[in-house]
Amino acid sequence: GPVTLADEVGLDVVSHVSNFLSSADLGVRMEGGDVSLMAKMVEKGWLGKKSGQGFYTYGKGKNAKKSINAEVQAYVKEFATRDLNLSEQEMQDRIIGRFVNEAAKCLEDEIIENPVVGDIGLVFGTGFAPFRGGPFRYLDQVGVDNYVNM
């Protein structure tokens, strides 16, 4: 997903992109996150796979496994301002919702030609969960009315 993709691309690159998007004139669409989270991770040297640790810690060698970085796990908790008591499903829906809403806006603004292009772009370009098939396929599965009422 997006966290794995961030580690693969490099948190320095992700930080740069998030700073750019947060200062772009896109209105409330890019608000809600604290971009300093990534900048501070970069300052700490947590660049992802290329530095051996980011959201995950990477072992050495070709067959080494990755594991969740306990330092980062503790660090990101500092950014939680309050406990909303959300279920795991509600958290997933909120994360997916940002992707789905932005994909719909891109289709509306004719940035993408059709839903298939949007699905392919988000699965391969952002780490949108491939098993969901992309944001538009997800909407087809859930139903637009059900999605809007989540």
Side-chain angles (χ1 to χ4, degrees), residues 13 21-22 29 43 46 57 78 81 91 117-118 132 143 148:
V13 175
L21 289 175
S22 70
R29 290 174 24 211
E43 286 174 18
W46 299 337
T57 299
E78 296 173 22
T81 57
M91 286 186 261
V117 170
R132 295 199 188 277
V148 170

Side-chain angles (χ1 to χ4, degrees), residues 97-118:
R98 296 292 296 256
F99 286 99
V100 171
N101 293 344
E102 189 60 26
K105 185 68 176 156
C106 287
L107 184 61
E108 178 185 2
D109 290 348
E110 298 179 346
I111 294 168
I112 56 174
E113 186 175 329
N114 58 57
V116 173
V117 170

Side-chain angles (χ1 to χ4, degrees), residues 3 8 10 18 42 52-53 56 67 88 91 100 113 115-117 136:
V3 171
E8 290 287 335
S18 66
V42 171
Q53 65 177 6
Y56 298 98
S67 59
E88 186 172 323
M91 286 186 261
V100 171
E113 186 175 329
V116 173
V117 170
F136 296 104

Side-chain angles (χ1 to χ4, degrees), residues 81-97:
T81 57
R82 61 190 163 154
D83 185 354
L84 299 175
N85 295 313
L86 299 174
S87 70
E88 186 172 323
Q89 185 62 51
E90 289 170 317
M91 286 186 261
Q92 290 173 358
D93 289 344
R94 285 182 176 211
I95 292 168
I96 290 171

